[in-house]
Amino acid sequence: SDPFFSVPTGASDAGAVTVCSAPPLAMQDVLPKHWLHMRACCSASDDGWCTVEVQAPFTIVNACPCDIFCRLNPLVTRTHLGKEKDRFTSEPGISLELIVGDGRGGEVRVPQGGQAEILPLRLDADGFFHWRCNGKHFRSRAKRNTNCLIAVLDARHGEIIWNCFHAVMPSDPGRDRSAPLRIGSQSFLAAFDLVAEDICVSFALRDEDGTMTSWSLPVQAVNTTHSMEEVIELVHRGMYVHLNASRQGREFVVYAHWWFVNSTGLPARLVQPGGPGKMHPVKAFGEHVAFLPQVRNDAGDGVAFVELRGAAGPVEARVPDIGGSQAVQLTPLHACCLRTERIALPEAM
């Protein structure tokens, strides 16, 4: 193949490099470029040996109890809502560090003299987003319905331009040329044919009936300042389904804090409030697994609504702490127990 060439990996991954080897000219129509991420660790002794760690530039780990679907660099429709500006003063020769919170647990660094996209963005209850400049905290009001920002840092004129957008995934999946990839439960997908710094990822689930959820707005693979938990928000039959994600090195791990499995042998199921009318069934995914809705009572405790099909109505039960249990009287004749257990992932993950 052709000689390797490299691309920068950023300050957060110092000492490492992502390299690529293109296939021979005669094979470039049938073989993709192949990327590898390499880190060297040389000993302080004089023996001349150096350990080189080689891995995929980017790996998605599915720690959920069901299959997940993902798209890499999916098509997103953005509607420009307008601009906002903030001014700042800085001393000559002092570099600026601008970090913008996405409201979901992640942070994005804006390069000096450049721009960065914050997607998806969740505003606070007052319609503000939050950012830091050289360690000082600020907040700014965005245009109504903003869920995407493109921040432009103009250090020479002491100005930050916030371009506000409303981003949605296309309603017609056929418009998106990126093929959906399925990742099995508690397995992973290693991506070798692209550079992690250029990747954003969108996720979806498929329920037991074969119906897909909405595709989530894409999240950046490695564009955060440090590893934090983020929320992936899906919509299914008008109800929200929340997954969680965190970055561990060059791995993007998708998981759920809580899920529900009916082990009673009875036709019991989770239901949840939402909109007018009665409770709505929580759809199951994979092997009859339902993700526990984020519902709290007046005391702030997490609760679950469990229903026996054909019974008078659902029963509210407090979600017990790990290792604990809570009695649930579905009917006068059906006494059950809601128990919380910690699940260990396979060592291979």
Short mmCIF file of all heavy atoms in Angstrom, two decimals, residues 103-164:
data_model
loop_
_atom_site.label_atom_id
_atom_site.label_comp_id
_atom_site.label_asym_id
_atom_site.label_seq_id
_atom_site.Cartn_x
_atom_site.Cartn_y
_atom_site.Cartn_z
N GLY A 103 -25.71 21.23 27.74
CA GLY A 103 -26.92 21.07 28.54
C GLY A 103 -27.32 19.64 28.77
O GLY A 103 -28.33 19.36 29.42
N ARG A 104 -26.52 18.68 28.27
CA ARG A 104 -26.81 17.26 28.42
C ARG A 104 -25.67 16.53 29.12
O ARG A 104 -25.64 15.30 29.17
CB ARG A 104 -27.05 16.62 27.05
CG ARG A 104 -28.27 17.18 26.33
CD ARG A 104 -28.33 16.69 24.89
NE ARG A 104 -29.48 17.22 24.19
CZ ARG A 104 -30.63 16.58 24.07
NH1 ARG A 104 -30.78 15.39 24.60
NH2 ARG A 104 -31.65 17.12 23.42
N GLY A 105 -24.71 17.28 29.61
CA GLY A 105 -23.58 16.68 30.30
C GLY A 105 -22.27 16.80 29.55
O GLY A 105 -21.21 16.55 30.12
N GLY A 106 -22.30 17.18 28.28
CA GLY A 106 -21.08 17.29 27.48
C GLY A 106 -20.61 18.73 27.35
O GLY A 106 -21.35 19.68 27.63
N GLU A 107 -19.39 18.90 26.93
CA GLU A 107 -18.79 20.21 26.71
C GLU A 107 -18.02 20.20 25.40
O GLU A 107 -17.42 19.18 25.04
CB GLU A 107 -17.85 20.59 27.86
CG GLU A 107 -18.56 20.79 29.19
CD GLU A 107 -17.61 21.18 30.30
OE1 GLU A 107 -16.40 20.82 30.19
OE2 GLU A 107 -18.02 21.84 31.26
N VAL A 108 -18.01 21.33 24.71
CA VAL A 108 -17.33 21.45 23.43
C VAL A 108 -16.38 22.64 23.50
O VAL A 108 -16.76 23.74 23.92
CB VAL A 108 -18.34 21.63 22.27
CG1 VAL A 108 -17.60 21.84 20.95
CG2 VAL A 108 -19.26 20.43 22.18
N ARG A 109 -15.15 22.42 23.08
CA ARG A 109 -14.14 23.48 23.06
C ARG A 109 -14.18 24.18 21.70
O ARG A 109 -14.17 23.52 20.65
CB ARG A 109 -12.76 22.90 23.31
CG ARG A 109 -11.66 23.95 23.48
CD ARG A 109 -10.28 23.27 23.51
NE ARG A 109 -10.23 22.29 24.57
CZ ARG A 109 -9.89 22.56 25.82
NH1 ARG A 109 -9.58 23.80 26.16
NH2 ARG A 109 -9.85 21.59 26.72
N VAL A 110 -14.20 25.51 21.71
CA VAL A 110 -14.21 26.30 20.48
C VAL A 110 -12.79 26.80 20.23
O VAL A 110 -12.21 27.49 21.08
CB VAL A 110 -15.19 27.49 20.58
CG1 VAL A 110 -15.22 28.26 19.26
CG2 VAL A 110 -16.58 27.00 20.96
N PRO A 111 -12.20 26.47 19.08
CA PRO A 111 -10.82 26.89 18.83
C PRO A 111 -10.72 28.40 18.63
O PRO A 111 -11.64 29.03 18.10
CB PRO A 111 -10.44 26.13 17.55
CG PRO A 111 -11.75 25.86 16.88
CD PRO A 111 -12.75 25.66 17.98
N GLN A 112 -9.62 28.97 19.08
CA GLN A 112 -9.41 30.41 18.93
C GLN A 112 -9.27 30.75 17.46
O GLN A 112 -8.49 30.16 16.72
CB GLN A 112 -8.16 30.84 19.70
CG GLN A 112 -7.95 32.34 19.75
CD GLN A 112 -6.90 32.72 20.77
OE1 GLN A 112 -6.84 32.15 21.83
NE2 GLN A 112 -6.06 33.70 20.42
N GLY A 113 -10.09 31.71 17.01
CA GLY A 113 -10.08 32.08 15.61
C GLY A 113 -10.83 31.10 14.73
O GLY A 113 -10.77 31.18 13.51
N GLY A 114 -11.57 30.16 15.33
CA GLY A 114 -12.31 29.17 14.57
C GLY A 114 -13.74 29.05 15.05
O GLY A 114 -14.29 29.95 15.70
N GLN A 115 -14.37 27.92 14.75
CA GLN A 115 -15.75 27.70 15.13
C GLN A 115 -15.96 26.24 15.50
O GLN A 115 -15.15 25.37 15.18
CB GLN A 115 -16.69 28.09 14.00
CG GLN A 115 -16.59 27.21 12.76
CD GLN A 115 -17.55 27.65 11.65
OE1 GLN A 115 -17.83 28.84 11.49
NE2 GLN A 115 -18.05 26.69 10.90
N ALA A 116 -17.04 25.98 16.21
CA ALA A 116 -17.40 24.62 16.60
C ALA A 116 -18.92 24.53 16.70
O ALA A 116 -19.60 25.51 17.02
CB ALA A 116 -16.75 24.23 17.93
N GLU A 117 -19.42 23.34 16.42
CA GLU A 117 -20.87 23.11 16.51
C GLU A 117 -21.20 22.40 17.82
O GLU A 117 -20.50 21.47 18.22
CB GLU A 117 -21.35 22.26 15.33
CG GLU A 117 -22.86 22.04 15.33
CD GLU A 117 -23.33 21.25 14.13
OE1 GLU A 117 -22.79 20.16 13.89
OE2 GLU A 117 -24.25 21.71 13.42
N ILE A 118 -22.25 22.87 18.47
CA ILE A 118 -22.74 22.24 19.70
C ILE A 118 -24.10 21.63 19.35
O ILE A 118 -25.10 22.33 19.19
CB ILE A 118 -22.86 23.25 20.86
CG1 ILE A 118 -21.50 23.88 21.18
CG2 ILE A 118 -23.41 22.54 22.10
CD1 ILE A 118 -21.21 25.14 20.42
N LEU A 119 -24.12 20.32 19.21
CA LEU A 119 -25.30 19.60 18.78
C LEU A 119 -25.28 18.20 19.40
O LEU A 119 -24.25 17.51 19.29
CB LEU A 119 -25.34 19.49 17.25
CG LEU A 119 -26.44 18.61 16.65
CD1 LEU A 119 -27.79 19.30 16.81
CD2 LEU A 119 -26.17 18.34 15.17
N PRO A 120 -26.36 17.78 20.04
CA PRO A 120 -27.57 18.55 20.33
C PRO A 120 -27.36 19.45 21.54
O PRO A 120 -26.55 19.17 22.42
CB PRO A 120 -28.60 17.46 20.63
CG PRO A 120 -27.79 16.33 21.17
CD PRO A 120 -26.48 16.37 20.46
N LEU A 121 -28.11 20.53 21.60
CA LEU A 121 -28.03 21.51 22.68
C LEU A 121 -29.35 21.51 23.44
O LEU A 121 -30.42 21.53 22.82
CB LEU A 121 -27.75 22.90 22.11
CG LEU A 121 -27.81 24.05 23.10
CD1 LEU A 121 -26.58 24.04 24.01
CD2 LEU A 121 -27.91 25.39 22.37
N ARG A 122 -29.27 21.49 24.75
CA ARG A 122 -30.47 21.60 25.58
C ARG A 122 -30.35 22.88 26.41
O ARG A 122 -29.43 23.03 27.22
CB ARG A 122 -30.63 20.39 26.49
CG ARG A 122 -31.83 20.52 27.46
CD ARG A 122 -31.93 19.31 28.36
NE ARG A 122 -32.35 18.14 27.62
CZ ARG A 122 -32.36 16.91 28.12
NH1 ARG A 122 -31.94 16.70 29.36
NH2 ARG A 122 -32.77 15.89 27.40
N LEU A 123 -31.29 23.79 26.22
CA LEU A 123 -31.32 25.03 26.99
C LEU A 123 -31.84 24.76 28.39
O LEU A 123 -32.55 23.78 28.63
CB LEU A 123 -32.19 26.07 26.29
CG LEU A 123 -31.81 26.41 24.83
CD1 LEU A 123 -32.81 27.41 24.26
CD2 LEU A 123 -30.40 26.95 24.74
N ASP A 124 -31.49 25.65 29.33
CA ASP A 124 -32.03 25.48 30.68
C ASP A 124 -33.48 25.95 30.72
O ASP A 124 -34.06 26.36 29.71
CB ASP A 124 -31.15 26.19 31.72
CG ASP A 124 -31.12 27.71 31.55
OD1 ASP A 124 -32.01 28.26 30.88
OD2 ASP A 124 -30.21 28.34 32.10
N ALA A 125 -34.07 25.91 31.90
CA ALA A 125 -35.50 26.23 32.04
C ALA A 125 -35.81 27.67 31.65
O ALA A 125 -36.96 28.00 31.31
CB ALA A 125 -35.96 25.96 33.47
N ASP A 126 -34.81 28.55 31.69
CA ASP A 126 -35.02 29.97 31.34
C ASP A 126 -34.62 30.29 29.91
O ASP A 126 -34.64 31.47 29.52
CB ASP A 126 -34.23 30.85 32.30
CG ASP A 126 -34.68 30.68 33.75
OD1 ASP A 126 -35.91 30.59 33.98
OD2 ASP A 126 -33.80 30.60 34.64
N GLY A 127 -34.23 29.28 29.13
CA GLY A 127 -33.87 29.52 27.74
C GLY A 127 -32.44 29.95 27.52
O GLY A 127 -32.11 30.51 26.46
N PHE A 128 -31.56 29.68 28.50
CA PHE A 128 -30.15 30.05 28.39
C PHE A 128 -29.29 28.82 28.13
O PHE A 128 -29.65 27.70 28.50
CB PHE A 128 -29.66 30.73 29.67
CG PHE A 128 -30.20 32.12 29.89
CD1 PHE A 128 -31.44 32.31 30.49
CD2 PHE A 128 -29.48 33.24 29.49
CE1 PHE A 128 -31.94 33.58 30.71
CE2 PHE A 128 -29.98 34.52 29.71
CZ PHE A 128 -31.22 34.69 30.32
N PHE A 129 -28.12 29.04 27.52
CA PHE A 129 -27.07 28.03 27.47
C PHE A 129 -25.88 28.59 28.25
O PHE A 129 -25.75 29.81 28.44
CB PHE A 129 -26.67 27.66 26.04
CG PHE A 129 -26.14 28.81 25.23
CD1 PHE A 129 -24.77 29.06 25.14
CD2 PHE A 129 -26.99 29.63 24.50
CE1 PHE A 129 -24.27 30.12 24.39
CE2 PHE A 129 -26.50 30.69 23.73
CZ PHE A 129 -25.14 30.94 23.68
N HIS A 130 -24.98 27.71 28.69
CA HIS A 130 -23.90 28.12 29.60
C HIS A 130 -22.54 27.87 28.95
O HIS A 130 -22.36 26.89 28.23
CB HIS A 130 -24.03 27.35 30.91
CG HIS A 130 -25.31 27.65 31.65
ND1 HIS A 130 -25.35 28.43 32.78
CD2 HIS A 130 -26.60 27.27 31.40
CE1 HIS A 130 -26.60 28.53 33.20
NE2 HIS A 130 -27.38 27.83 32.38
N TRP A 131 -21.60 28.76 29.24
CA TRP A 131 -20.27 28.65 28.65
C TRP A 131 -19.24 29.25 29.60
O TRP A 131 -19.56 29.99 30.53
CB TRP A 131 -20.22 29.33 27.28
CG TRP A 131 -20.75 30.74 27.22
CD1 TRP A 131 -22.05 31.12 27.18
CD2 TRP A 131 -19.97 31.94 27.16
NE1 TRP A 131 -22.16 32.50 27.12
CE2 TRP A 131 -20.89 33.03 27.10
CE3 TRP A 131 -18.61 32.22 27.15
CZ2 TRP A 131 -20.48 34.35 27.03
CZ3 TRP A 131 -18.19 33.54 27.09
CH2 TRP A 131 -19.12 34.58 27.03
N ARG A 132 -17.99 28.90 29.36
CA ARG A 132 -16.86 29.39 30.15
C ARG A 132 -15.81 29.98 29.22
O ARG A 132 -15.53 29.43 28.16
CB ARG A 132 -16.21 28.28 30.98
CG ARG A 132 -17.14 27.57 31.92
CD ARG A 132 -16.36 26.75 32.97
NE ARG A 132 -15.36 25.86 32.40
CZ ARG A 132 -15.61 24.63 32.00
NH1 ARG A 132 -16.84 24.14 32.07
NH2 ARG A 132 -14.63 23.87 31.53
N CYS A 133 -15.24 31.08 29.65
CA CYS A 133 -14.14 31.70 28.91
C CYS A 133 -13.00 31.94 29.90
O CYS A 133 -13.17 32.72 30.85
CB CYS A 133 -14.60 33.00 28.26
SG CYS A 133 -13.33 33.76 27.20
N ASN A 134 -11.90 31.23 29.68
CA ASN A 134 -10.74 31.31 30.59
C ASN A 134 -11.15 31.08 32.04
O ASN A 134 -10.69 31.78 32.95
CB ASN A 134 -10.02 32.65 30.44
CG ASN A 134 -9.23 32.71 29.15
OD1 ASN A 134 -9.13 31.75 28.40
ND2 ASN A 134 -8.65 33.87 28.87
N GLY A 135 -12.02 30.11 32.24
CA GLY A 135 -12.41 29.72 33.58
C GLY A 135 -13.58 30.47 34.17
O GLY A 135 -14.12 30.06 35.20
N LYS A 136 -14.00 31.60 33.58
CA LYS A 136 -15.13 32.37 34.09
C LYS A 136 -16.44 31.86 33.47
O LYS A 136 -16.49 31.64 32.26
CB LYS A 136 -14.94 33.86 33.80
CG LYS A 136 -13.75 34.48 34.52
CD LYS A 136 -13.66 35.97 34.23
CE LYS A 136 -12.48 36.60 34.97
NZ LYS A 136 -12.39 38.06 34.70
N HIS A 137 -17.46 31.73 34.31
CA HIS A 137 -18.73 31.18 33.85
C HIS A 137 -19.66 32.31 33.37
O HIS A 137 -19.76 33.36 34.01
CB HIS A 137 -19.40 30.40 34.97
CG HIS A 137 -18.69 29.13 35.32
ND1 HIS A 137 -19.12 27.88 34.91
CD2 HIS A 137 -17.55 28.91 36.00
CE1 HIS A 137 -18.28 26.96 35.35
NE2 HIS A 137 -17.32 27.56 36.02
N PHE A 138 -20.35 32.03 32.26
CA PHE A 138 -21.32 32.97 31.70
C PHE A 138 -22.53 32.17 31.22
O PHE A 138 -22.49 30.94 31.10
CB PHE A 138 -20.73 33.74 30.52
CG PHE A 138 -19.49 34.53 30.84
CD1 PHE A 138 -18.23 33.95 30.72
CD2 PHE A 138 -19.58 35.84 31.28
CE1 PHE A 138 -17.08 34.66 31.02
CE2 PHE A 138 -18.43 36.57 31.58
CZ PHE A 138 -17.18 35.97 31.45
N ARG A 139 -23.59 32.88 30.94
CA ARG A 139 -24.73 32.28 30.28
C ARG A 139 -25.30 33.28 29.29
O ARG A 139 -25.21 34.51 29.49
CB ARG A 139 -25.81 31.84 31.27
CG ARG A 139 -26.55 32.97 31.98
CD ARG A 139 -27.72 32.41 32.79
NE ARG A 139 -28.58 33.49 33.28
CZ ARG A 139 -29.79 33.29 33.79
NH1 ARG A 139 -30.29 32.05 33.87
NH2 ARG A 139 -30.52 34.30 34.22
N SER A 140 -25.89 32.77 28.22
CA SER A 140 -26.44 33.61 27.16
C SER A 140 -27.79 33.05 26.74
O SER A 140 -28.00 31.84 26.76
CB SER A 140 -25.51 33.69 25.95
OG SER A 140 -24.26 34.25 26.31
N ARG A 141 -28.68 33.96 26.34
CA ARG A 141 -29.99 33.53 25.88
C ARG A 141 -29.93 33.20 24.40
O ARG A 141 -29.37 33.95 23.60
CB ARG A 141 -31.04 34.61 26.14
CG ARG A 141 -32.46 34.17 25.78
CD ARG A 141 -33.46 35.29 26.03
NE ARG A 141 -33.57 35.62 27.44
CZ ARG A 141 -34.32 34.96 28.30
NH1 ARG A 141 -35.03 33.90 27.88
NH2 ARG A 141 -34.37 35.31 29.56
N ALA A 142 -30.50 32.07 24.04
CA ALA A 142 -30.54 31.66 22.64
C ALA A 142 -31.91 31.99 22.03
O ALA A 142 -32.87 32.27 22.76
CB ALA A 142 -30.26 30.16 22.53
N LYS A 143 -31.98 31.95 20.73
CA LYS A 143 -33.26 32.11 20.05
C LYS A 143 -34.20 30.96 20.45
O LYS A 143 -33.77 29.87 20.79
CB LYS A 143 -33.07 32.10 18.53
CG LYS A 143 -32.16 33.19 18.00
CD LYS A 143 -32.76 34.58 18.20
CE LYS A 143 -31.88 35.64 17.55
NZ LYS A 143 -32.41 37.02 17.77
N ARG A 144 -35.47 31.24 20.42
CA ARG A 144 -36.47 30.24 20.78
C ARG A 144 -36.36 29.02 19.87
O ARG A 144 -36.13 29.16 18.67
CB ARG A 144 -37.87 30.83 20.70
CG ARG A 144 -38.97 29.92 21.22
CD ARG A 144 -40.32 30.61 21.14
NE ARG A 144 -41.38 29.73 21.61
CZ ARG A 144 -42.67 30.05 21.60
NH1 ARG A 144 -43.04 31.24 21.15
NH2 ARG A 144 -43.57 29.20 22.05
N ASN A 145 -36.51 27.82 20.46
CA ASN A 145 -36.44 26.53 19.74
C ASN A 145 -35.03 26.16 19.30
O ASN A 145 -34.85 25.23 18.49
CB ASN A 145 -37.38 26.50 18.53
CG ASN A 145 -38.84 26.59 18.92
OD1 ASN A 145 -39.24 26.07 19.97
ND2 ASN A 145 -39.64 27.26 18.10
N THR A 146 -34.03 26.83 19.82
CA THR A 146 -32.65 26.48 19.48
C THR A 146 -32.26 25.15 20.11
O THR A 146 -32.42 24.96 21.31
CB THR A 146 -31.69 27.58 19.95
OG1 THR A 146 -31.96 28.79 19.25
CG2 THR A 146 -30.24 27.17 19.70
N ASN A 147 -31.76 24.23 19.31
CA ASN A 147 -31.17 22.99 19.83
C ASN A 147 -29.83 22.69 19.19
O ASN A 147 -29.30 21.59 19.30
CB ASN A 147 -32.13 21.81 19.66
CG ASN A 147 -32.42 21.49 18.20
OD1 ASN A 147 -31.96 22.19 17.29
ND2 ASN A 147 -33.21 20.45 17.95
N CYS A 148 -29.28 23.70 18.49
CA CYS A 148 -27.98 23.57 17.84
C CYS A 148 -27.34 24.96 17.77
O CYS A 148 -28.02 25.93 17.43
CB CYS A 148 -28.15 22.96 16.45
SG CYS A 148 -26.65 22.96 15.43
N LEU A 149 -26.06 25.02 18.12
CA LEU A 149 -25.30 26.26 18.03
C LEU A 149 -24.07 26.05 17.18
O LEU A 149 -23.45 24.99 17.23
CB LEU A 149 -24.84 26.73 19.42
CG LEU A 149 -25.81 27.44 20.35
CD1 LEU A 149 -25.11 27.71 21.67
CD2 LEU A 149 -26.33 28.74 19.75
N ILE A 150 -23.70 27.07 16.41
CA ILE A 150 -22.38 27.14 15.82
C ILE A 150 -21.71 28.38 16.40
O ILE A 150 -22.14 29.52 16.14
CB ILE A 150 -22.43 27.20 14.28
CG1 ILE A 150 -22.99 25.89 13.72
CG2 ILE A 150 -21.03 27.45 13.71
CD1 ILE A 150 -23.04 25.83 12.21
N ALA A 151 -20.72 28.14 17.24
CA ALA A 151 -20.04 29.23 17.95
C ALA A 151 -18.79 29.64 17.17
O ALA A 151 -17.98 28.79 16.80
CB ALA A 151 -19.66 28.79 19.36
N VAL A 152 -18.65 30.94 16.93
CA VAL A 152 -17.50 31.49 16.22
C VAL A 152 -16.76 32.41 17.19
O VAL A 152 -17.34 33.37 17.70
CB VAL A 152 -17.93 32.26 14.96
CG1 VAL A 152 -16.70 32.80 14.23
CG2 VAL A 152 -18.76 31.38 14.05
N LEU A 153 -15.49 32.11 17.44
CA LEU A 153 -14.68 32.89 18.37
C LEU A 153 -13.76 33.81 17.59
O LEU A 153 -12.80 33.36 16.94
CB LEU A 153 -13.87 31.95 19.28
CG LEU A 153 -12.91 32.60 20.26
CD1 LEU A 153 -13.62 33.59 21.17
CD2 LEU A 153 -12.19 31.53 21.08
N ASP A 154 -14.05 35.10 17.64
CA ASP A 154 -13.23 36.12 16.97
C ASP A 154 -12.43 36.84 18.04
O ASP A 154 -12.88 37.84 18.62
CB ASP A 154 -14.13 37.09 16.21
CG ASP A 154 -13.34 38.08 15.36
OD1 ASP A 154 -12.10 38.15 15.53
OD2 ASP A 154 -13.95 38.80 14.54
N ALA A 155 -11.24 36.32 18.35
CA ALA A 155 -10.44 36.88 19.43
C ALA A 155 -9.91 38.26 19.09
O ALA A 155 -9.74 39.11 19.98
CB ALA A 155 -9.28 35.93 19.74
N ARG A 156 -9.67 38.54 17.83
CA ARG A 156 -9.09 39.83 17.45
C ARG A 156 -10.04 40.98 17.74
O ARG A 156 -9.63 42.06 18.17
CB ARG A 156 -8.71 39.81 15.96
CG ARG A 156 -7.90 41.03 15.54
CD ARG A 156 -7.43 40.92 14.12
NE ARG A 156 -8.55 40.93 13.18
CZ ARG A 156 -8.39 40.97 11.86
NH1 ARG A 156 -7.18 40.95 11.33
NH2 ARG A 156 -9.45 40.99 11.06
N HIS A 157 -11.33 40.75 17.53
CA HIS A 157 -12.32 41.79 17.78
C HIS A 157 -13.03 41.60 19.12
O HIS A 157 -13.97 42.34 19.44
CB HIS A 157 -13.36 41.81 16.66
CG HIS A 157 -12.81 42.18 15.32
ND1 HIS A 157 -12.38 41.24 14.40
CD2 HIS A 157 -12.59 43.40 14.76
CE1 HIS A 157 -11.94 41.87 13.32
NE2 HIS A 157 -12.04 43.17 13.51
N GLY A 158 -12.59 40.60 19.92
CA GLY A 158 -13.20 40.38 21.23
C GLY A 158 -14.66 40.04 21.15
O GLY A 158 -15.46 40.59 21.91
N GLU A 159 -15.01 39.12 20.26
CA GLU A 159 -16.42 38.85 20.01
C GLU A 159 -16.67 37.36 19.83
O GLU A 159 -15.85 36.63 19.25
CB GLU A 159 -16.86 39.61 18.75
CG GLU A 159 -18.33 39.63 18.49
CD GLU A 159 -18.67 40.52 17.30
OE1 GLU A 159 -18.29 40.16 16.16
OE2 GLU A 159 -19.28 41.58 17.50
N ILE A 160 -17.80 36.90 20.36
CA ILE A 160 -18.28 35.54 20.13
C ILE A 160 -19.61 35.64 19.41
O ILE A 160 -20.52 36.34 19.87
CB ILE A 160 -18.47 34.76 21.44
CG1 ILE A 160 -17.20 34.77 22.29
CG2 ILE A 160 -18.89 33.32 21.15
CD1 ILE A 160 -17.39 34.19 23.67
N ILE A 161 -19.72 34.98 18.29
CA ILE A 161 -20.96 34.96 17.51
C ILE A 161 -21.62 33.60 17.71
O ILE A 161 -21.00 32.56 17.47
CB ILE A 161 -20.70 35.23 16.02
CG1 ILE A 161 -20.00 36.59 15.84
CG2 ILE A 161 -22.00 35.19 15.24
CD1 ILE A 161 -19.59 36.87 14.42
N TRP A 162 -22.86 33.62 18.16
CA TRP A 162 -23.63 32.39 18.37
C TRP A 162 -24.67 32.26 17.26
O TRP A 162 -25.62 33.03 17.21
CB TRP A 162 -24.34 32.41 19.72
CG TRP A 162 -23.48 32.76 20.90
CD1 TRP A 162 -23.46 33.94 21.57
CD2 TRP A 162 -22.54 31.91 21.56
NE1 TRP A 162 -22.55 33.90 22.61
CE2 TRP A 162 -21.98 32.65 22.64
CE3 TRP A 162 -22.13 30.59 21.37
CZ2 TRP A 162 -21.02 32.13 23.49
CZ3 TRP A 162 -21.17 30.08 22.24
CH2 TRP A 162 -20.64 30.82 23.27
N ASN A 163 -24.47 31.36 16.33
CA ASN A 163 -25.44 31.09 15.28
C ASN A 163 -26.42 30.04 15.80
O ASN A 163 -26.02 28.92 16.12
CB ASN A 163 -24.75 30.59 14.02
CG ASN A 163 -23.89 31.67 13.37
OD1 ASN A 163 -24.40 32.56 12.71
ND2 ASN A 163 -22.58 31.59 13.59
N CYS A 164 -27.69 30.41 15.89
CA CYS A 164 -28.72 29.55 16.47
C CYS A 164 -29.47 28.79 15.37
O CYS A 164 -29.88 29.39 14.37
CB CYS A 164 -29.71 30.36 17.30
SG CYS A 164 -28.94 31.31 18.64
#
